[in-house]
Amino acid sequence: MLKNYFLIAWRNLLKNKLYSLVNITGLATGMAVAMIIGLWIYDEVSANRHFKNYGELYQVMMHQTFDEFRGTQSALPYSIGEELKNKFPALKAVAMCDWGQPRSLVYGEKKISRFGHFIGEEAVSMFSLRILEGDKNPLHDPYSIVLTDETAHILFGNESAIGKVVRLDNATNLKVTAVVERQPKNSSLSYDYLIPFHLQDLIYTWVKQYHKDNWANNSWQAYVQLNPNVSPKEVNEKIKNVVIAHFSDDNMLKHIKPEVFIHPMSKWRLYSDFDNGVNTGGFIKYVRMFGILGFIVLLIACINFMNLSTARSEKRAREVGVRKAIGAGRGRLISQFLGESLLIAGIAFLLALGIVLLSLHYFNKLTDKDMSLQVTNPLFWIIMLGFTIATGLLAGSYPAFYLSSFNPVRVLKGNLRAGKSSSLPRKILVVLQFASSVVLMIGTIVVNRQIQFGKNQPIGFNNKGLITVNWSDDIAKNFDVIRNELLRTGTVISVTQSNSPPSQIFSNNNGWEWKGSTPIEKTNIFSTIATAYDYTKTMGIKMLAGRDFSRDYADSNGVILNQAAVKRMRLKNPVGEMLKWNDKPMVVLGVIPDIQMESPYRPVSPLTIIFNRGWAGYVDIRINPNMPVSKAIAAIKPVFDRYNPAYPFEYKFADEEYAKKFNYEELVGNLAAIVALLAIFISCLGLFGLASFTAEQRVKEIGVRKVLGASVFNLWRLQSKEFVFLVLISCAIASPVAWFGMNEWLKDYKLRTDIGMEIFIVVGLVAMVITLVTVSYQAVKAALTNPIKSLRTE
């Protein structure tokens, strides 16, 4: 019997090639989209699960109150690790960690710049790093270094790295004690090398002098592993006052109410956002969004199948009638038709698998992932089998129950005719299908409009022709020489130093006082940029008032404010005003516009620019605009090679770094656009199939009308108006749904675009044009058919 069902299904596919092609192509496309999105979602939700202690690992974080707002940060004091380790036995292990930065690694003639961390020695066991060779406790010796297998191969080739000495930043020799497996791309712990955390005490004097006992400075991170059966709530209650306990009662910092807590690894990637001290989600919103989109596209493909199957019901009515007349029960018929849909789903799955294999490489590039189909994993095939069966049952359920419900007496008498009531379900499905596509189209336009809105925000400085080079000890020793030689090349017009690159601000500080400020306002946070001479010239910032730091004056107590800081301090004539910063007298030298160095979707923070030549992290270089960039770089490189020999010459363009701020939004926009296009493609396949079937049903009517004088245009309009009407209903339903959904999405942005009426009008017109183009081929083809052929007696 099963063999018989299979043969009937296969013959039906071959007999109706056009409908079979439309059905399989649409279903395969929908399944491919769902599979790729499923792989992406799996990669996101499985992030960090490769760590053996996944359920016991937490990041230490802290709430603080600034400007009556409860903020949350992972930046912590240097000494909190020792405090947690010594006083809280509920913690099995504690590992401090810096934020990481690119550093020079030199071995013989090879010199590379790689990203790595100073990290506590317990991190190796906490994070269950896979040691490929070397010591099981490789960070115990402060003068040791752990390399990833990729970094070790670059430095040493196929030789063993263990015991070899690598020079760090042209200053410190470190012995390689272990080689570990590189972390996957979806890991929250990213590095090319690891160095013992306490090495900082030995090689950086500023750590001992300014940070070791400074509980007000938050510049490090901390990770902990809980003992088994320890409640996180219990730990939070015990450690919440670990920072505030180090402030005296008269310390203004007590007003910020620092409260320490632990954040589980399961929430690091997808639930990293906090609002007023409450965990509000994070990237999980995109995972949910694309999960819904994947389901919608698959649903659209299934609707195609339902529509085309029920539309051709008259073709199979007699088959149903005969089978019922000879004793076939409805259950048997339902099983047969579901079996046919499962066969189509199986063929579509094989085609979808091919589509995924061909497109996954490009999708990985688009999303910066390293995903693959795990075809050797039995679990993959079990999931795919379940997915295919579920799709087949979803697509075939309605046609199966509809076809099996025919009355055999009416069918065999030839009384079964498709009236208005029989076409109503198909019309509803078409409306649902196109409404989903319209929602996706509107959503795609709004996302891209928000991206463009951010890109159009004024940034207040010129990031074109501006490059940055990472700071080093050698650069610090030779900065003035480097600057002078760069200027002499003629390819550079200005050089300065700063503690933050042009696209970010790394330091935020309180302790500012101004005329009329209240004691509590001393806790207000101001962004801080530390620089030297020529900062505004190099950055391309136009002074609104006053001047920049000058070599003609002693400006060590000077400060430059942006407009937001002037507003915060309520200064009417800011230039010349006396301020205090941590009780140190400061004078306002100038005012600059609100330069956008952080998120373009949030208001610019109050900014203070101070003069401090000892606090630097970057060299900022303004290239001569009359000089080709390639020629300028060729002239700049030898200067850094000469005075910064341990580092390969690496630089970043400020405009390219700023463009990276839109990466997430552009990723969402690109994925939404791709999904929307595929949804429209699938919907068009369905419309094409239905239009073909409608034209086939009305072939005699069209012939009669043509004989009576109807023009091709009249016949085209007759066949197209029904589909146009359905699309108009789809737009009417989709518009409020899309408006509500995108309005909720935009709420996450402080600065956002508006959802104008023109978007809905444009999408409606586009949907109409797509519908007419899709339907017109079959409509015009039917209108041009010779009426003699269509009216010929069978």
Side-chain angles (χ1 to χ4, degrees), residues 546-708:
R547 63 176 176 83
D548 195 354
F549 303 115
S550 171
R551 293 174 179 82
D552 298 328
Y553 301 92
D555 284 339
S556 59
N557 286 357
V559 60
I560 298 171
L561 306 178
N562 71 348
Q563 290 172 295
V566 171
K567 184 178 179 180
R568 169 73 63 82
M569 294 179 176
R570 305 181 295 278
L571 303 177
K572 294 183 179 179
N573 299 298
V575 178
E577 283 279 354
M578 295 302 299
L579 313 176
K580 283 186 179 181
W581 184 33
N582 294 326
D583 299 325
K584 176 185 176 181
M586 304 287 284
V587 60
V588 179
L589 299 180
V591 178
I592 63 171
D594 287 339
I595 57 176
Q596 183 56 270
M597 303 176 75
E598 297 178 288
S599 171
Y601 301 112
R602 295 184 179 276
V604 176
S605 303
L607 172 67
T608 58
I609 302 177
I610 62 171
F611 186 90
N612 190 326
R613 299 197 64 179
W615 185 5
Y618 300 88
V619 181
D620 304 309
I621 303 169
R622 169 68 59 185
I623 294 174
N624 188 331
N626 300 318
M627 187 71 63
V629 173
S630 58
K631 186 175 179 181
I633 296 299
I636 293 170
K637 182 179 183 300
V639 178
F640 280 94
D641 287 343
R642 187 158 54 250
Y643 295 104
N644 193 35
Y647 279 81
F649 177 61
E650 295 179 342
Y651 56 90
K652 293 178 180 178
F653 286 98
D655 55 345
E656 292 179 357
E657 291 301 300
Y658 185 80
K660 291 179 181 178
K661 294 181 180 294
F662 303 95
N663 279 358
Y664 271 139
E665 283 75 17
E666 287 184 333
L667 170 63
V668 172
N670 290 335
L671 290 178
I674 291 170
V675 171
L677 286 172
L678 290 172
I680 294 166
F681 170 71
I682 297 169
S683 298
C684 289
L685 281 178
L687 277 181
F688 180 83
L690 283 176
S692 175
F693 174 72
T694 302
E696 184 182 317
Q697 271 192 322
R698 304 180 71 172
V699 66
K700 284 185 169 52
E701 176 193 345
I702 292 169
V704 171
R705 287 179 180 274
K706 198 167 184 181
V707 168
L708 295 176

Side-chain angles (χ1 to χ4, degrees), residues 206-471:
W206 49 268
V207 171
K208 290 181 181 179
Q209 292 177 355
Y210 302 110
H211 300 298
K212 199 157 187 183
D213 297 314
N214 184 356
W215 286 82
N217 179 279
N218 301 305
S219 301
W220 284 269
Q221 302 178 88
Y223 301 98
V224 298
Q225 181 182 353
L226 303 191
N227 278 310
N229 304 319
V230 172
S231 165
K233 289 184 179 180
E234 177 188 337
V235 173
N236 284 336
E237 188 61 33
K238 289 180 178 179
I239 70 171
K240 66 179 182 180
N241 295 322
V242 69
V243 171
I244 199 172
H246 290 271
F247 297 145
S248 59
D249 291 337
D250 60 346
N251 193 321
M252 286 299 299
L253 294 175
K254 271 212 165 183
H255 290 285
I256 66 176
K257 302 173 185 175
E259 180 181 336
V260 178
F261 70 100
I262 54 175
H263 190 54
M265 180 178 267
S266 58
K267 294 187 175 183
W268 290 1
R269 188 172 183 89
L270 301 179
Y271 298 88
S272 58
D273 290 353
F274 288 81
D275 186 19
N276 208 22
V278 178
N279 190 201
T280 55
F283 199 71
I284 186 66
K285 67 181 178 182
Y286 295 118
V287 172
R288 290 169 179 159
M289 177 194 298
F290 283 103
I292 293 170
L293 293 183
F295 177 76
I296 288 174
V297 173
L298 185 61
L299 183 63
I300 289 172
C302 290
I303 287 172
N304 270 359
F305 184 93
M306 296 177 190
N307 267 342
L308 293 174
S309 297
T310 54
R312 295 190 61 79
S313 57
E314 284 187 68
K315 297 287 184 181
R316 304 196 65 180
R318 290 187 179 180
E319 176 193 342
V320 173
V322 169
R323 289 179 61 81
K324 278 194 170 184
I326 61 177
R330 190 180 182 190
R332 284 280 177 86
L333 292 171
I334 290 173
S335 299
Q336 177 188 341
F337 292 129
L338 285 178
E340 290 183 16
S341 68
L342 287 173
L343 173 62
I344 293 174
I347 297 171
F349 167 71
L350 294 176
L351 180 58
L353 204 59
I355 294 172
V356 172
L357 286 170
L358 290 173
S359 59
L360 196 55
H361 171 71
Y362 302 100
F363 189 77
N364 279 334
K365 277 189 173 181
L366 177 67
T367 57
D368 192 28
K369 295 282 188 183
D370 193 20
M371 301 180 297
S372 62
L373 286 174
Q374 300 179 10
V375 293
T376 58
N377 186 348
L379 182 62
F380 169 81
W381 292 108
I382 293 172
I383 293 172
M384 288 299 101
L385 179 62
F387 170 68
T388 305
I389 292 173
T391 303
L393 293 178
L394 176 65
S397 55
Y398 176 68
F401 284 96
Y402 177 73
L403 290 170
S404 63
S405 67
F406 290 164
N407 186 309
V409 176
R410 292 183 58 200
V411 168
L412 295 176
K413 281 185 175 182
N415 293 332
L416 182 67
R417 289 291 181 268
K420 289 185 178 180
S421 59
S422 65
S423 64
L424 181 61
R426 289 198 299 277
K427 291 178 179 179
I428 293 173
L429 290 174
V430 168
V431 168
L432 177 61
Q433 185 182 51
F434 246 86
S436 301
S437 299
V438 169
V439 168
L440 291 177
M441 291 167 66
I442 293 171
T444 300
I445 292 175
V446 172
V447 169
N448 284 283
R449 190 166 177 170
Q450 175 66 4
I451 294 170
Q452 201 56 47
F453 175 82
K455 289 182 176 180
N456 291 338
Q457 292 294 304
I459 64 173
F461 69 101
N462 181 12
N463 62 11
K464 306 292 183 184
L466 180 64
I467 66 170
T468 59
V469 178
N470 286 336
W471 196 258

